[in-house]
Amino acid sequence: MAPLSKEQFEAQRQASKMKIIVVALELFSKKGFINTSINDIAKTANISKGLMYNYFESKDVLLEECLKMVLEGVVGGIQAATQIKNPEERLEFLIRTSFDMLKENPHIWKMFVSLSLQLDKESASYRILNEYWSQLFKNAVSIFKEMGYEDYEERAFRYGAMMDGLAMQYILLGEENILFDKTLQGAINIYCYNK
Amino acid sequence: MAPLSKEQFEAQRQASKMKIIVVALELFSKKGFINTSINDIAKTANISKGLMYNYFESKDVLLEECLKMVLEGVVGGIQAATQIKNPEERLEFLIRTSFDMLKENPHIWKMFVSLSLQLDKESASYRILNEYWSQLFKNAVSIFKEMGYEDYEERAFRYGAMMDGLAMQYILLGEENILFDKTLQGAINIYCYNK
DNA sequence: TACCTTTGACCAACCGTTCAGTCATAAATA
DNA sequence: TATTTATGACTGAACGGTTGGTCAAAGGTA
């Protein structure tokens, strides 16, 4: 049993880190990154400020790890799309699951936008976010190409703008707006099935 | 000359305030509201910190006055649209002048979005911004109604989403993207002339 | 003199970060 | 088994720095 203990320690450590990340994500997304202090996080997680720095070397690194974790979840959620052969259906699946996630956790997506706007473009966190958006766009381009459109890049750009815009509307106005779902369905009809 | 002096003082005071507002807007939009200190503004404006508080009772009030001033300019810029009888042409004018302003001063619009996301919803500044967006939406609704569409509200919403999305793309990716102008022209064709 | 603008030293509060030191527990030793 | 030693999670006071905001005093003008 003795030889296992080291790995057990590591597992315990990972679990503790995860607990902190969950709390930090909650606070970052609700109050904003800048407006959340290390003290806030430590208090909410019921640990000391010092322990925070045992696990994460700085507030910035903590943010990085938060982003990595949550984006891993997002990527995992839309991974199933690769199974879908038909590009039209694949795109519809992507749109629907993306907006399901947005509706389930609007604060997180609000945080993504907020960070994209306020982070230093050279920071690691910004790069992580940027990498994700780039992948999304490239994916859309290849789908429209697969659909056989000649103007696939332009289409992907227009599609991206509409998705961003709809997401912004949801983030800023909230669900109360009845027009949202109707417009989303309309967008699916247009971009997936061109009708 | 003596009887005028009071008004002259007031005019002088307004001029000084305006000078501070211009500097503050520059810094707020380039570094972000939270990351700009009163000291930064005072130094850049070549005045003392104390004098700042002679003119503006707090940093929040300064932001309010900045927003009021810049939005006044924006409203003034699109005011000419009311002269255009034809709703299709009026909408095209609105879109073009809006994006001209965005291109001329992307930092300012980035600031608008950033503030909308991070300000307390009860704050005066948030209300000022919100009021402006509401007016834009209502205006779009009435234009589409005037055009004779039955689904004018839904159309206005979709239009708003596309405009927001395009603006976000521009703010985040910058002008380098060749697809932007093409997509904007496409949006004008679709939303103004339904082709 | 009297009245204003303007200054910049000053304040308390808060920030991210550090670090000397505590303590329960596990490993090693006898 | 009993005792010592080593580990690393954990604490919280303290640090240097920055913040928004205040105020007594100096400067300018009439």
Side-chain angles (χ1 to χ4, degrees):
Chain A
M1 181 155 288
L4 271 178
S5 76
K6 214 164 197 177
E7 290 149 33
Q8 283 177 333
F9 273 134
E10 193 52 37
Q12 175 61 41
R13 199 179 160 78
Q14 273 304 320
S16 300
K17 284 184 79 167
M18 197 59 77
K19 203 183 82 185
I20 295 172
I21 287 179
V22 168
V23 168
L25 265 174
E26 172 94 7
L27 292 176
F28 285 161
S29 62
K30 292 218 167 131
K31 309 195 341 174
F33 176 67
I34 300 180
N35 289 318
T36 302
S37 70
I38 295 287
N39 235 332
D40 290 337
I41 299 168
K43 268 187 188 158
T44 310
N46 282 316
I47 60 167
S48 70
K49 219 198 307 195
L51 187 54
M52 286 278 326
Y53 282 89
N54 183 335
Y55 288 124
F56 305 96
E57 68 180 53
S58 72
K59 196 187 175 189
D60 287 318
V61 168
L62 170 59
L63 177 63
E64 283 170 43
E65 301 219 21
C66 284
L67 291 179
K68 277 179 193 162
M69 201 205 74
V70 76
L71 283 179
E72 226 169 71
V74 171
V75 170
I78 59 179
Q79 194 80 349
T82 56
Q83 305 286 342
I84 304 173
K85 290 275 159 59
N86 183 310
E88 287 84 4
E89 287 175 19
R90 189 157 78 247
L91 186 60
E92 178 172 359
F93 176 85
L94 279 175
I95 298 176
R96 289 202 187 279
T97 50
S98 295
F99 278 95
D100 282 349
M101 287 191 278
L102 170 66
K103 285 182 174 182
E104 204 156 326
N105 245 320
H107 287 105
I108 294 288
W109 296 82
K110 179 175 168 179
M111 180 185 74
F112 287 162
V113 181
S114 219
L115 288 171
S116 296
L117 289 167
Q118 77 191 210
L119 281 178
D120 184 349
K121 290 203 193 309
E122 307 301 321
S123 69
S125 292
Y126 184 85
R127 264 190 267 265
I128 291 169
L129 281 172
N130 206 41
E131 174 73 14
Y132 176 71
W133 297 130
S134 302
Q135 287 300 334
L136 272 193
F137 179 65
K138 280 179 195 159
N139 194 13
V141 171
S142 75
I143 287 180
F144 283 113
K145 197 171 183 178
E146 209 174 322
M147 281 185 189
Y149 293 116
E150 283 186 10
D151 59 342
Y152 54 89
E153 264 201 317
E154 205 184 326
R155 248 173 215 270
F157 190 81
R158 202 184 319 146
Y159 157 80
M162 181 53 95
M163 292 302 119
D164 282 6
L166 278 172
M168 282 300 289
Q169 303 272 358
Y170 190 86
I171 287 169
L172 287 173
L173 305 176
E175 185 142 37
E176 87 247 21
N177 203 315
I178 320 158
L179 295 170
F180 182 81
D181 284 315
K182 211 185 266 186
T183 310
L184 181 58
Q185 182 58 52
I188 290 173
N189 289 337
I190 290 169
Y191 293 103
C192 299
Y193 307 107
N194 206 17
K195 64 187 180 192
Chain B
M1 182 158 287
L4 272 178
S5 77
K6 212 166 198 176
E7 291 148 33
Q8 282 178 332
F9 274 134
E10 192 52 36
Q12 175 61 42
R13 199 177 160 78
Q14 273 304 320
S16 299
K17 284 183 77 168
M18 197 60 76
K19 201 182 82 184
I20 296 172
I21 287 179
V22 168
V23 168
L25 265 174
E26 173 92 6
L27 292 176
F28 285 161
S29 62
K30 292 219 167 131
K31 309 194 344 174
F33 176 66
I34 299 180
N35 289 319
T36 302
S37 70
I38 295 285
N39 239 328
D40 289 338
I41 299 168
K43 268 187 186 157
T44 311
N46 282 316
I47 60 166
S48 69
K49 203 191 342 185
L51 190 53
M52 286 277 327
Y53 282 90
N54 182 341
Y55 288 125
F56 305 95
E57 65 182 55
S58 71
K59 196 187 175 188
D60 286 318
V61 169
L62 171 58
L63 176 63
E64 282 170 43
E65 301 219 22
C66 284
L67 291 179
K68 276 180 194 162
M69 201 207 73
V70 76
L71 283 179
E72 227 168 69
V74 172
V75 170
I78 58 177
Q79 195 81 348
T82 57
Q83 305 285 344
I84 303 172
K85 290 275 160 60
N86 184 310
E88 286 84 5
E89 288 174 20
R90 188 157 79 247
L91 186 61
E92 178 171 359
F93 176 85
L94 280 175
I95 298 176
R96 288 202 187 279
T97 49
S98 295
F99 278 94
D100 282 349
M101 287 191 278
L102 170 65
K103 284 182 175 183
E104 203 155 326
N105 245 321
H107 289 105
I108 294 288
W109 296 82
K110 179 175 168 179
M111 180 185 74
F112 287 162
V113 181
S114 221
L115 288 171
S116 296
L117 288 168
Q118 79 191 209
L119 281 178
D120 183 350
K121 290 203 192 310
E122 306 301 321
S123 69
S125 292
Y126 184 85
R127 264 191 266 266
I128 291 170
L129 282 171
N130 206 43
E131 173 73 15
Y132 176 71
W133 298 129
S134 301
Q135 289 297 336
L136 272 193
F137 180 66
K138 280 180 195 159
N139 195 13
V141 171
S142 77
I143 287 180
F144 284 112
K145 196 171 183 177
E146 209 175 319
M147 283 186 188
Y149 293 116
E150 283 186 10
D151 59 343
Y152 54 88
E153 265 202 316
E154 204 184 325
R155 248 173 214 271
F157 190 81
R158 200 182 322 146
Y159 157 79
M162 181 53 95
M163 293 302 118
D164 282 5
L166 278 172
M168 282 299 290
Q169 303 270 1
Y170 190 86
I171 288 170
L172 287 173
L173 304 177
E175 185 143 35
E176 88 246 20
N177 202 316
I178 320 156
L179 295 169
F180 182 81
D181 284 316
K182 212 185 264 186
T183 311
L184 181 58
Q185 182 57 52
I188 290 173
N189 290 337
I190 291 170
Y191 293 102
C192 299
Y193 306 107
N194 206 19
K195 65 186 179 190

